[in-house]
């Protein structure tokens, strides 16, 4: 601040702003520019970043010129409202402020810059100005996007509107009326809840304002608006954060052979593609160790989507009699049978438990700690590139461990399933009824917040959950500090597999969502854990059906299966999530150094690691175009998912042709593949169908989330509807009413999460995210495995 001349204005009129935008902060600078362009902006003054000291008299005199209140007092950080981060909910906004309280409100906004939430948002918020405007007596208000924030489609305006002030929409207090305007065509109302808010002419006027802001600022905008006395007012304009690029079509070239789409890892970025490559080889190694005669697993990106091909020695499976003979004469198959015997009969999978606890977990934790740098900006370019290379190598090691640890433990579950089918005569899937919740790591983060609330929640009294970090730290400083520490500890945990996805530590709004859900449950009188272990009834049924000695064997197998099942997600934190987050940590710093050449630090993931050095040295002249094209190809792929498979599927093997141990291994593998299979049934008006988890029928309002960054919008008591999840999604799942997914099966991560929290779920309900909209009222029946839309939102 000492660099600012003494003559620099400390308070400026929004209509006559200072020439330097950094004095106004992002929000105020954008409104000043819109005002100068002739748009209707409520009158206001800006307490600039140069105002290190300011008397109450000075501020009061400036506010007096605005006329009678009440006023809106809002923080305006220098780095706020950029294309990479909006700081939504991180800095203070105070509405309906009377004249006599403006001075205190300005002080609160200024001090909010020092709040811990800004430091947890991936960097300091920078200096903060404060914008004071006369409140608009809004008859209706809302937001509008000049591009589709979900698909990235340009030429379309999306509008949400509510009666009264727009903060009812932002806070979730009111459900909006939604409109869509394509180009210059007529506006189309896509959702109305109760009383109509806008007419066609008003919707068109909002659309024109959003497009005018896009033209003014040169990129798609997210605006806040209000109608008062029949006139439309602009309250805010900022770039749409994390906006997908305009779609760029990808030629679909299918290589020879049969290919199966991998939906668990999604559409990979260039960095994510390099990150994934070692995993296919590691998985092939793991399958061979399990006794499966597999030559390799090939990977291809077809139309932007990841596809896999399993390559067996010698091509397609031979006739049954050849298999019978080969399994007794061919050395590789004899070895495979011995491996299967050791794995199942002698329970060799138990070695994975000690391998994880004694070697892999401490090794990966130590490697991550050794490579991590608190402030990567202190590294020179060569050192940064070296850290990225080392982090990428560490992700490969982690994926190899994950593959090795993923297979053998699941055979403990498989052995339980074989027992269930062979001795109880139950379907193998009923093994999951016996498992119940057993993955403590899946719910560990949510339980940590529950513990904070138990210890410090009384600081908040009986008031509503804090809407901002500033409010949290003011009302409950001890609880706020504990939650901030929780967030810092999560700064390397990505929300999905690809390093293109944000980490938990980058999303302080998500931390507030988790806190809000825990507080809501506490006030509802719910226990910290959702409901009693539902596996007891199935176990009693098994006891009645089995001789005592066989029931004891069932309990022994159940104990092993529970330990193994938990290991599947537990190891993923250290072998997949945190190494991927560490890679992202350094690549974000690369993006900051590349600056406008990649558009936003987050866009550095659209460079292949081999391009990092040349990009830093300025040796890629078309860098911006290259990044934007790849982002556009990703947008196209997200909107154009290819079929579940290409080519003819290989014929099923006759498992009876193999010796007993190998045949049982293949039975387990076939069951697991069926449990994980993606359905491709045509979408119809019939109820959605999938695999049910739980025994309690639930009705509730849907929240459709298409990417993990959207978890912060999830409200307590809603039904989460999504394509698929990873373990990290569980932090926001603790208080949902139910879970519905397009994909996955009884072994998938959303199924694990549902069992761990005791949340009813229907997994693999194909078409759910297409047929269901946020706000729809759903009936989720896990017993029947169906989901029905009861009423539209």
């Amino acid at each position: 601040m000492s660099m600012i001349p003494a003559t620099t204005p400390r308070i400026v009129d929004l209509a006559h702003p200072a020439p330097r935008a950094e004095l106004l902060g992002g929000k105020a600078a954008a409104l000043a520019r819109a005002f100068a362009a002739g748009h209707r902006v409520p009158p206001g003054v800006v307490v600039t970043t140069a105002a290190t000291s300011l008397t109450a008299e000075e501020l009061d005199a400036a506010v007096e010129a605005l006329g009678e209140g009440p006023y809106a007092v809002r923080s305006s950080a220098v780095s706020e409202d950029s294309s990479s981060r909006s700081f939504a909910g991180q800095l203070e906004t105070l509405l309906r402020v009377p004249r006599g309280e403006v001075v205190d409100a300005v002080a609160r906004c200024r001090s909010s810059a020092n709040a811990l939430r800004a430091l947890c948002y991936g960097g300091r918020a920078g200096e903060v100005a404060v914008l004071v405007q006369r409140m608009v007596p809004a008859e209706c208000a809302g937001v509008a996007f000049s591009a589709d924030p979900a698909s990235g489609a340009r030429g379309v305006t999306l509008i949400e509107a509510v009666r009264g002030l727009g903060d009812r929409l932002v806070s979730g207090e009111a459900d909006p009326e939604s409109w869509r305007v394509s180009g210059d065509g007529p506006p189309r109302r896509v959702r109305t809840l109760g009383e109509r808010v806008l007419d066609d002419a008003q919707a068109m006027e909002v659309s024109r304002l959003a497009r005018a802001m896009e033209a003014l600022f040169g990129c798609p905008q997210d605006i806040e608006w209000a109608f008062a006395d029949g006139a439309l007012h602009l309250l805010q304009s900022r770039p749409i954060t994390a906006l997908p690029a305009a779609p760029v079509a990808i030629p679909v070239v299918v290589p020879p052979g049969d290919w199966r789409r991998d939906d668990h890892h999604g559409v990979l970025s260039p960095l994510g593609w390099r990150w994934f490559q070692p995993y296919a080889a590691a998985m092939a190694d793991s399958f061979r160790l399990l006794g499966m005669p597999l030559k390799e697993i090939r990977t291809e990106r077809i139309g932007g989507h990841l596809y896999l091909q399993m390559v067996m020695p010698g091509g397609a499976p031979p006739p049954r009699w050849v298999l019978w003979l080969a399994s007794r004469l061919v050395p590789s198959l004899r070895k495979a049978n011995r491996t299967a015997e050791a794995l199942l009969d002698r329970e060799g999978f138990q070695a994975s438990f000690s391998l994880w606890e004694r070697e892999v977990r401490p090794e990966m934790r130590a490697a991550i700690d050794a490579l991590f740098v608190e402030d990567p900006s202190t590294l020179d370019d060569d050192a940064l590139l070296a850290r990225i290379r080392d982090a990428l190598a560490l992700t490969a090691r982690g994926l190899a461990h994950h593959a090795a640890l993923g297979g053998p433990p699941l055979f403990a579950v498989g052995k339980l399933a074989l027992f269930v089918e062979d001795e109880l005569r139950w379907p193998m899937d009923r093994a999951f009824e016996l498992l119940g919740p057993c993955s403590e790591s899946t719910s560990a983060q949510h339980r940590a917040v529950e513990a904070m609330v138990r210890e410090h929640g009384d600081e908040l009294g009986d008031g509503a959950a804090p809407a901002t970090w500033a409010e949290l730290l003011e009302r409950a400083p001890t609880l706020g500090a504990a939650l901030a520490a929780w967030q810092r500890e999560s700064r390397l945990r990505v929300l999905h597999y690809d390093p293109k996805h944000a980490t938990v530590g980058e999303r302080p709004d998500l931390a507030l969502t988790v806190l809000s859900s825990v507080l809501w449950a506490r006030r509802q009188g719910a226990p910290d854990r959702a409901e009693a272990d539902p596996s007891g009834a199935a176990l009693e049924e098994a006891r009645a059906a089995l001789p005592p000695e066989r029931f004891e064997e069932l309990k022994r197998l159940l104990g092993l299966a529970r330990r193994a099942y938990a290991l599947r997600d537990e190891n993923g934190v250290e072998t997949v999530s945190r190494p991927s987050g560490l890679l992202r940590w350094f690549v974000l710093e690369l993006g900051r150094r590349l600056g406008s050449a990649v558009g936003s630090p987050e866009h550095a993931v659209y460079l292949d690691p081999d391009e990092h050095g040349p990009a830093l040295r300025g040796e890629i002249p078309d860098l911006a175009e290259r990044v934007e094209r790849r982002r556009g190809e990703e947008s196209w792929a997200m909107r154009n998912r290819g079929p579940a498979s290409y080519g003819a599927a290989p014929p099923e093997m006759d498992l009876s042709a193999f010796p007993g141990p190998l045949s049982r291994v293949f039975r387990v593998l076939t069951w697991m593949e069926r449990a994980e299979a993606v359905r491709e049934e045509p979408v119809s008006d019939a109820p959605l169908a999938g695999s049910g988890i739980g025994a309690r029928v639930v009705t509730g309002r849907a929240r459709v989330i298409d990417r993990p960054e959207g978890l912060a919008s999830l409200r307590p008591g809603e039904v989460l509807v999504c394509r698929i999840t990873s373990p990290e999604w569980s932090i926001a799942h603790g208080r949902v009413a139910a879970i519905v997914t397009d994909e996955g099966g009884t072994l998938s991560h959303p199924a694990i999460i549902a069992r761990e929290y005791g949340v009813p779920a229907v997994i693999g309900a194909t078409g759910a995210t297409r047929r269901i909209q946020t706000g729809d009222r759903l009936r989720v029946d896990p017993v029947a495995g169906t989901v029905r839309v009861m009423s539209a939102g």
Side-chain angles (χ1 to χ4, degrees):
M1 295 301 296
S2 60
M3 299 294 292
I4 296 177
T7 56
T8 299
R10 297 186 297 172
I11 301 179
V12 299
D13 192 317
L14 196 62
H16 306 287
R20 291 161 52 191
E22 65 267 23
L23 292 176
L24 306 181
K27 185 184 287 104
L31 287 176
R33 188 171 170 186
F35 187 97
H39 297 282
R40 188 179 288 109
V41 175
V45 296
V46 184
V47 180
T48 71
T49 58
T52 53
S53 62
L54 194 68
T55 67
E57 291 75 15
E58 288 178 283
L59 181 56
D60 191 63
V63 171
E64 183 179 13
L66 298 178
E68 289 301 317
Y71 306 94
V73 182
R74 299 187 287 170
S75 304
S76 180
V78 169
S79 54
E80 187 178 16
D81 289 353
S82 68
S83 61
S84 59
R85 53 173 54 95
S86 68
F87 277 75
Q90 308 313 305
L91 299 173
E92 195 66 83
T93 290
L94 301 167
L95 302 179
R96 310 175 189 86
V97 179
R99 170 81 175 273
E101 298 177 14
V102 170
V103 172
D104 289 340
V106 169
R108 281 187 61 181
C109 288
R110 295 293 299 276
S111 65
S112 73
N114 300 318
L116 229 44
R117 70 197 183 286
L119 301 178
C120 296
Y121 198 58
R124 295 182 182 273
E127 299 297 335
V128 170
V130 181
L131 174 62
V132 182
Q133 291 175 285
R134 196 168 65 220
M135 280 286 295
V136 172
E139 297 139 8
C140 59
V143 298
F145 301 92
S146 66
D148 189 331
S151 68
R154 273 49 169 186
V156 60
T157 306
L158 303 183
I159 303 169
E160 293 187 341
V162 295
R163 286 287 177 189
L165 296 177
D167 63 327
R168 297 174 62 244
L169 170 61
V170 175
S171 67
E173 179 185 339
D175 290 303
E177 175 181 87
S178 301
W179 292 76
R180 184 182 184 92
V181 184
S182 298
D184 294 322
R188 179 170 61 90
R189 184 184 290 104
V190 294
R191 187 176 70 161
T192 301
L193 296 174
E195 183 183 7
R196 285 185 56 170
V197 179
L198 300 178
D199 58 32
D200 287 13
Q202 288 174 316
M204 202 65 202
E205 191 174 354
V206 172
S207 176
R208 285 194 292 266
L209 178 60
R211 294 204 304 269
M213 290 301 100
E214 177 176 323
L216 179 63
F217 293 104
C219 64
Q221 295 288 295
D222 165 7
I223 71 167
E224 295 180 15
W225 54 268
F227 275 102
D229 298 324
L232 177 61
H233 299 260
L234 176 69
L235 306 181
Q236 184 165 309
S237 186
R238 61 192 178 198
I240 302 175
T241 54
L243 177 69
V248 175
I250 305 172
V252 178
V253 179
V254 182
D258 61 285
W259 298 90
R260 297 292 176 269
R261 192 182 64 227
D262 180 319
D263 290 305
H264 297 295
H265 300 93
V267 176
L268 296 171
S269 66
L271 179 64
W273 177 246
R274 279 287 291 271
W275 163 85
F276 181 81
Q277 290 307 292
Y279 192 46
M283 283 297 296
D285 290 341
S286 177
F287 277 124
R288 284 191 291 269
L289 289 174
L290 297 177
M292 184 175 179
L294 177 69
K295 181 180 179 182
E296 63 176 324
I297 298 176
R298 294 174 181 166
T299 61
E300 284 287 349
R301 280 187 292 183
I302 304 175
H305 290 265
L306 173 63
Y307 282 78
L308 306 178
Q309 183 184 79
M310 311 281 280
V311 182
M312 308 294 287
R320 180 183 183 281
W321 68 268
V322 176
L323 283 175
W324 180 88
L325 184 63
S327 65
R328 287 154 178 79
L329 299 179
V330 177
S332 62
L333 285 177
R334 289 206 310 271
K335 179 182 177 182
N337 189 57
R338 291 195 300 271
T339 301
E341 187 177 23
L343 186 67
L344 280 179
D345 297 343
R346 294 197 294 274
E347 297 180 347
F349 54 77
Q350 293 197 49
S352 297
F353 304 151
S354 59
L355 175 67
W356 161 245
E357 293 166 357
R358 297 178 184 177
E359 297 181 29
V360 176
R361 181 166 57 191
E363 171 206 333
M364 291 300 298
R365 285 180 176 174
I368 291 169
D369 291 344
L371 195 54
F372 179 73
V373 175
E374 183 79 34
D375 184 1
S377 69
T378 60
L379 301 170
D380 63 31
D381 286 356
D382 289 340
L384 176 63
L385 292 172
R387 293 278 173 165
I388 292 174
R389 288 193 297 270
D390 291 344
L392 190 59
L394 182 60
T395 65
R397 277 167 51 197
L399 289 171
H401 285 313
H402 188 60
L405 290 167
L410 283 182
F411 277 88
V413 181
K415 190 166 185 178
L416 175 67
L418 291 173
F419 186 99
V420 161
E421 184 172 69
D422 293 341
E423 301 203 30
L424 283 169
R425 304 302 178 189
W426 294 355
M428 293 175 80
D429 283 356
R430 289 201 67 188
F432 293 113
E433 292 183 36
L434 295 167
L435 278 175
C438 53
S439 178
E440 287 294 310
S441 66
T442 298
S443 57
Q445 283 191 293
H446 200 278
R447 286 187 290 107
V449 179
E450 289 176 338
M452 293 175 209
V453 171
R454 279 197 303 272
E455 188 171 358
H456 307 300
D458 291 342
E459 283 186 311
L460 289 170
D462 296 327
T468 67
W469 275 83
E471 182 186 352
L472 170 62
L473 291 167
E474 180 181 343
R475 290 172 53 195
T478 307
L479 177 60
L483 188 64
W486 173 91
Q487 187 185 328
R488 285 195 299 276
E489 291 168 2
S490 304
R491 58 190 166 185
L492 295 185
R493 294 184 67 161
V494 289
L495 287 167
H496 207 58
Y497 306 105
D498 191 327
K500 74 180 179 185
H501 291 291
T503 65
V504 177
E506 292 175 63
R507 298 303 305 266
D509 51 342
L510 183 55
L512 288 179
T513 296
V514 178
L515 176 64
S516 175
S517 71
V518 173
L519 290 170
W520 175 83
R522 189 188 196 201
R523 289 162 183 166
Q524 296 291 316
D528 281 351
R529 301 307 296 274
E531 59 184 35
D533 183 349
S535 63
L539 197 60
E540 287 305 309
E541 184 181 347
R543 184 198 299 272
L546 292 170
E549 68 277 6
R550 298 313 294 159
F551 181 70
E552 289 303 312
E553 173 65 3
L554 173 65
K555 289 198 298 182
R556 186 187 73 84
L557 292 177
L558 180 58
L560 290 174
R562 284 177 169 170
R563 188 177 180 188
Y565 196 59
L567 176 57
R568 183 186 185 191
D569 272 10
E570 182 182 349
N571 90 80
V573 173
E574 303 296 342
T575 62
V576 181
S577 179
R578 294 185 71 227
S580 182
L582 182 65
L583 176 60
R584 177 178 171 85
W585 185 262
F586 293 121
V587 171
L588 284 177
E589 175 59 26
L590 172 73
R592 284 188 280 270
R593 297 185 189 190
L594 294 173
S596 60
V598 293
S600 171
E602 289 84 354
H603 296 169
V605 300
Y606 295 99
L607 295 176
D608 182 270
D610 292 340
E611 297 170 319
H612 290 169
L616 273 178
R617 295 189 294 270
E619 297 171 359
I620 305 179
D622 66 337
L623 182 61
E625 294 81 1
R626 188 177 301 191
V627 167
E628 192 64 12
R629 183 184 71 252
R630 290 171 180 172
R631 293 184 63 234
E633 290 172 343
E634 177 183 83
S635 293
W636 185 90
M638 295 293 290
R639 299 172 68 183
N640 295 274
R641 188 166 60 150
S645 62
Y646 286 105
E652 291 189 10
M653 287 186 288
D654 183 353
L655 301 182
S656 65
F658 292 100
L662 193 56
S663 175
R664 291 199 300 278
V665 165
F666 283 141
R667 279 178 64 197
V668 171
L669 287 172
T670 301
W671 167 65
M672 290 179 177
E673 192 278 332
R674 188 183 69 249
E676 294 287 275
V678 176
R679 297 174 177 85
E680 290 294 322
E681 297 134 357
V683 175
S684 68
D685 293 331
L688 295 157
S691 301
I693 308 293
R696 179 165 48 90
V697 177
V698 167
T699 59
R701 179 162 290 176
R703 175 71 57 176
V704 181
I705 295 178
D706 61 350
R707 52 185 175 179
E709 287 81 0
L711 285 171
S713 66
L714 190 61
R715 302 173 195 166
E718 291 184 324
V719 177
L720 170 67
V721 181
C722 58
R723 283 181 62 176
I724 195 69
T725 72
S726 71
E728 305 303 340
W729 286 50
S730 64
I731 61 172
H733 289 187
R735 299 303 168 190
V736 296
I739 299 171
V740 176
T741 70
D742 276 338
E743 298 154 10
T746 49
L747 283 167
S748 63
H749 290 299
I752 293 174
I753 291 168
R755 292 188 190 96
E756 186 61 27
Y757 286 107
V759 174
V762 175
I763 308 300
T766 304
T769 56
R770 295 193 300 274
R771 290 175 55 184
I772 298 172
Q773 294 186 354
T774 293
D776 288 351
R777 191 159 187 81
L778 306 181
R779 184 178 190 272
V780 181
D781 184 344
V783 178
T786 60
V787 181
R788 185 184 294 275
V789 178
M790 305 297 291
S791 61

